[in-house]
Amino acid sequence: MSKRQPSDFDSAAFLKNLTSQPGVYRMYNSQDEVIYVGKAKNLKKRVSSYFRANLDNAKTRALVSQIAKMDVTVVNSETEAFLLENNFIKKYKPRYNVVMRDDKSYPFIFLSDHQHPRLSFHRGPQKKKGEYFGPYPSAWSVRESLRSMQRIFPVRQCEDSYYRARSRPCLQYQMQRCSAPCVEGYVTDQEYKEQVNFARLFLKGKNQQVIGSLVEKMEKASESLNFEAAARYRDQINALRKVQERQWVAGTQDEMDVFGFAFKGNMACIQVMFIRDGQLLGSKAFFPKVPNTADEQEVFESFFLQFYLAGNKVIPKQIVLAQTLSDQDAIAEVLASEAGHKVTFFKGAREEKRKYLALAQANAQTALEAQYSQQKSVFARYLDLEDALDIDVPLQRMECFDISHTSGQQTVASCVVFNREGPLKSDYRRYNIEGITPGDDYAAMAQALKRRYKSVKEVQKIPDLLLIDGGKGQLAQAEAFFEDWPHDKKPMLLGVAKGVTRKPGLETLILAGSHDVVSMESHSPGLHLVQHIRDESHRFAITGHRNRRQKVKTTSSLESIPGIGAKRRQQLLKFMGGLQGLKKASRDEIASVPGISQELAETIYDHLHQ
């Protein structure tokens, strides 16, 4: 398709029939890609502003010069416009919009509604009956909290299926981390309920109330000469006080998010702090994709809406911001309709909120400086590599493949992706390699390439440079695959051989086709970039291989037998005294196990003696 000039879009004809109602507009380039999505209270007034004769903003002119066509969606209210704009940004990820990179939901601690409630990690829709505590900024912070609680409150954290199948206490009971409610005679329902209530109060930030109750119980147990119980309460109190010492930031706010914001060059960092039940649960730094056309206000507001509408669905009652939002009343209305309660914005004028905001701002600035330094380092490496490879067009996307196996078994291929900002982990892929001669790395590489590139739908997902970890043999597999490449864009191929001594800095870079060696100094930034990508592909491949190998080790050989489920496996192992006893049993002995027919016994015997 030929590139259309800006004059191809007849803005006057488009504006002539445009409505003045609220709505969302989309701008497309000559490749029919959505390049910008915007909302407006008055569509005609807002869209007209892009096509003024005296448009003095160079960034806006750059955007307008790319427009080949536009369309609009009319909505009933400004609230609907906010929601629809957010959905379009999430769907199309336009290059001129600010896009939030991490829109995952946040993890919670879940206390189930069972006879013997369970404490567990939860992410996703809150459909199960029980109580949810959070959100926490990361999965790590949830698991760390659960580990701390396990040492203080003997409340079960095991899966329900494991809990129901117990006939005697597990190791957690021996380690005094669970009171064994799964087995009768170890803890009464009342005692267990008491510990669950303590855990609930702890999660709500009422540590002093828990400690007070435990002190009272310890004194009563001591007066009754029940010194064993008194010692248990004493240990709980000591553990709680240690945890309380670590929670150095505490306040009186029940439910509040605090946003710190820093902007430098073409980078932004938003630091979000989560405060629930008077406790700071943690904070997280976000680095949204910032287009050249965006200013600071647009960056923050676009991120802010996406944060609540596309990612974190838990909208607090109070939100502290460093700056005023341009459509603050309308945004508060949108968030209130989503949350089901009133949402109030604060600027951090009062003492406690001011302290939290200052902390968030300082963390945002520190994180941005660190990210900015890293970006400059990565950018310098890219420039050096482009110079060494004599490339005129900047490298936007690089991919690297590696193969990992143990004596040819459980072979895994990795594909890691880097852009000009560093690793793009969302695009990483692993491939379990099947149907090849064990240990044939060339065949493994050929299969991985075929599976990765067999149906490339987006041109931007085709790499500019493809690194192959290996020598000329591995590189030849990539050359053979790309001989009949149907797309106009074709990646440049580069082999990365480790060299005779296999020491970092002595890698040999081999160009496809001529197989010429690219000469680079061991200290050159470009070679460091290649080493980083290669090491990352190796790490990703070997992690996948180890996971696959571990799965084989921990999977019972009975699991692959058709007709044998969990209950029958349990019966077989119980009656035969384990897997070794089952392997020694005859067909008739297997058939004597309750629930196992003669035909099924034949199948089991044949499977175990293949």
Side-chain angles (χ1 to χ4, degrees):
M1 184 184 289
S2 62
K3 187 174 180 180
R4 300 175 68 177
Q5 298 302 314
S7 57
D8 287 347
F9 178 64
D10 189 347
S11 58
F14 181 77
L15 291 168
K16 184 179 179 181
N17 300 311
L18 191 57
T19 179
S20 297
Q21 290 180 266
V24 175
Y25 55 92
R26 287 178 288 183
M27 299 175 177
Y28 296 80
N29 64 9
S30 56
Q31 282 79 46
D32 210 33
E33 297 169 334
V34 178
I35 57 172
Y36 188 75
V37 173
K39 64 181 180 306
K41 295 179 188 177
N42 183 320
L43 279 168
K44 188 159 192 162
K45 188 176 178 182
R46 180 71 185 97
V47 176
S48 298
S49 69
Y50 289 99
F51 301 101
R52 293 196 309 264
N54 58 342
L55 196 63
D56 56 357
N57 189 318
K59 292 180 177 180
T60 307
R61 285 201 302 270
L63 166 61
V64 173
S65 69
Q66 300 291 317
I67 300 172
K69 71 171 186 177
M70 288 184 67
D71 66 18
V72 299
T73 304
V74 178
V75 295
N76 294 315
S77 65
E78 196 177 356
T79 300
E80 285 184 24
F82 275 117
L83 297 171
L84 185 59
E85 180 200 33
N86 182 73
N87 289 337
F88 281 155
I89 291 173
K90 188 175 181 181
K91 180 179 179 180
Y92 297 112
K93 293 184 169 55
R95 61 176 297 191
Y96 287 104
N97 278 95
V98 176
V99 179
M100 180 180 170
R101 299 176 195 272
D102 179 10
D103 63 351
K104 289 190 295 186
S105 59
Y106 288 91
F108 289 76
I109 289 178
F110 174 58
L111 182 63
S112 67
D113 185 23
H114 290 119
Q115 180 188 356
H116 299 128
R118 173 198 178 209
L119 278 168
S120 63
F121 174 99
H122 177 86
R123 194 199 292 271
Q126 299 180 4
K127 293 181 178 178
K128 295 180 182 177
K129 284 187 178 181
E131 295 174 72
Y132 296 85
F133 301 91
Y136 286 80
S138 66
W140 177 86
S141 56
V142 172
R143 293 192 173 101
E144 186 63 25
S145 296
L146 286 171
R147 275 193 289 270
S148 296
M149 294 187 71
Q150 204 170 33
R151 291 190 289 268
I152 303 169
F153 307 107
V155 175
R156 75 179 182 95
Q157 295 189 16
C158 59
E159 294 281 351
D160 292 341
S161 56
Y162 186 80
Y163 159 78
R164 287 192 296 267
R166 298 302 302 174
S167 57
R168 55 180 181 159
C170 67
L171 185 62
Q172 294 299 328
Y173 172 79
Q174 307 297 335
M175 295 167 67
Q176 298 182 352
R177 293 188 174 185
C178 181
S179 51
C182 51
V183 185
E184 286 187 26
Y186 286 87
V187 62
T188 66
D189 287 353
Q190 183 57 39
E191 288 170 337
Y192 189 80
K193 186 179 179 182
E194 192 176 76
Q195 289 299 325
V196 168
N197 285 333
F198 285 148
R200 182 184 289 110
L201 288 170
F202 174 80
L203 286 167
K204 289 182 176 179
K206 296 179 170 59
N207 297 4
Q208 284 304 120
Q209 190 175 330
V210 177
I211 290 171
S213 298
L214 288 170
V215 166
E216 192 179 317
K217 288 185 173 296
M218 180 180 72
E219 289 172 350
K220 282 183 181 177
S222 191
E223 287 169 10
S224 305
L225 305 182
N226 189 352
F227 299 118
E228 210 173 298
R232 282 200 305 273
Y233 289 129
R234 178 204 62 203
D235 293 342
Q236 270 189 292
I237 293 163
N238 291 338
L240 259 172
R241 283 188 171 140
K242 282 180 183 175
V243 168
Q244 197 171 30
E245 285 168 12
R246 292 204 299 270
Q247 291 172 341
W248 59 277
V249 180
T252 59
Q253 305 300 324
D254 284 341
E255 190 177 85
M256 184 170 74
D257 285 352
V258 183
F259 286 79
F261 179 60
F263 194 88
K264 182 177 182 179
N266 203 37
M267 287 184 63
C269 175
I270 293 100
Q271 188 86 19
V272 189
M273 296 171 59
F274 304 94
I275 294 149
R276 297 293 183 272
D277 299 312
Q279 288 180 297
L280 175 60
L281 297 184
S283 63
K284 188 170 183 178
F286 296 87
F287 299 92
K289 180 182 79 68
V290 179
N292 293 328
T293 55
D295 57 25
E296 292 186 38
Q297 186 75 12
E298 183 186 350
V299 170
F300 183 79
E301 288 192 15
S302 297
F303 169 85
F304 182 79
L305 276 167
Q306 289 178 55
F307 179 78
Y308 285 118
L309 301 180
N312 182 13
K313 294 297 182 186
V314 178
I315 302 172
K317 294 173 182 174
Q318 301 182 70
I319 297 174
V320 182
L321 306 171
Q323 63 266 72
T324 305
L325 302 172
S326 58
D327 293 324
Q328 192 154 293
D329 292 341
I331 291 171
E333 189 181 330
V334 172
L335 296 185
S337 67
E338 288 289 298
H341 57 70
K342 185 181 177 183
V343 176
T344 310
F345 293 110
F346 297 90
K347 290 184 180 178
R350 301 231 173 148
E351 186 179 0
E352 189 176 353
K353 291 183 175 69
R354 187 170 65 248
K355 285 181 179 178
Y356 279 128
L357 184 58
L359 187 61
Q361 288 286 87
N363 280 323
Q365 192 63 49
T366 303
L368 181 66
E369 291 293 341
Q371 187 81 350
Y372 192 75
S373 299
Q374 184 185 340
Q375 287 283 84
K376 284 178 68 178
S377 172
V378 171
F379 187 69
R381 290 178 175 188
Y382 264 86
L383 292 178
D384 189 59
L385 181 60
E386 287 162 0
D387 186 52
L389 297 177
D390 196 22
I391 296 173
D392 297 327
V393 181
L395 294 169
Q396 298 297 337
R397 184 183 177 98
M398 294 196 290
E399 297 188 4
C400 184
F401 282 82
D402 190 25
I403 307 295
S404 181
H405 58 78
T406 301
S407 302
Q409 301 301 310
Q410 290 86 50
T411 303
V412 171
S414 71
C415 173
V416 302
V417 182
F418 274 53
N419 60 19
R420 292 186 87 85
E421 297 173 1
L424 186 62
K425 295 194 175 183
S426 60
D427 283 11
Y428 282 20
R429 296 293 181 269
R430 286 196 190 104
Y431 304 96
N432 290 335
I433 304 300
E434 306 287 358
I436 63 168
T437 304
D440 188 348
D441 285 358
Y442 295 162
M445 180 63 71
Q447 186 180 133
L449 289 166
K450 184 178 179 182
R451 289 170 65 183
R452 163 66 183 90
Y453 299 113
K454 66 182 177 182
S455 57
V456 180
K457 295 176 182 177
E458 300 175 63
V459 176
Q460 63 266 30
K461 291 293 178 78
I462 299 173
D464 300 298
L465 179 65
L466 178 57
L467 302 172
I468 304 294
D469 186 22
K472 293 180 181 179
Q474 293 283 38
L475 184 59
Q477 297 299 321
E479 289 175 315
F481 176 82
F482 284 102
E483 271 181 9
D484 301 321
W485 185 242
H487 303 280
D488 293 334
K489 182 182 176 181
K490 186 176 180 179
M492 180 181 183
L493 305 178
L494 189 68
V496 186
K498 291 185 177 68
V500 180
T501 59
R502 303 177 73 84
K503 288 183 179 178
L506 299 178
E507 288 86 357
T508 304
L509 306 183
I510 308 163
L511 285 170
S514 64
H515 287 187
D516 290 341
V517 174
V518 180
S519 178
M520 295 187 78
E521 296 290 338
S522 61
H523 60 270
S524 70
L527 185 59
H528 291 165
L529 176 60
V530 171
Q531 289 168 347
H532 185 186
I533 299 171
R534 189 273 319 276
D535 291 346
E536 181 69 354
S537 70
H538 184 64
R539 177 200 66 78
F540 196 57
I542 203 166
T543 303
H545 164 64
R546 284 173 177 163
N547 291 342
R548 193 178 179 197
R549 190 176 63 193
Q550 187 62 32
K551 188 176 180 181
V552 169
K553 282 183 181 179
T554 56
T555 300
S556 168
S557 55
L558 298 178
E559 287 185 26
S560 57
I561 304 175
I564 300 294
K567 287 186 178 179
R568 279 180 173 162
R569 282 201 303 272
Q570 198 174 18
Q571 284 282 84
L572 284 163
L573 296 172
K574 183 179 177 182
F575 274 80
M576 294 298 168
L579 188 58
Q580 292 305 315
L582 181 60
K583 286 181 177 178
K584 292 175 184 176
S586 65
R587 291 179 175 86
D588 291 337
E589 286 173 328
I590 295 171
S592 67
V593 175
I596 304 297
S597 64
Q598 189 66 44
E599 186 181 353
L600 190 53
E602 295 275 350
T603 304
I604 295 167
Y605 185 89
D606 291 342
H607 184 90
L608 293 173
H609 295 84
Q610 280 177 354

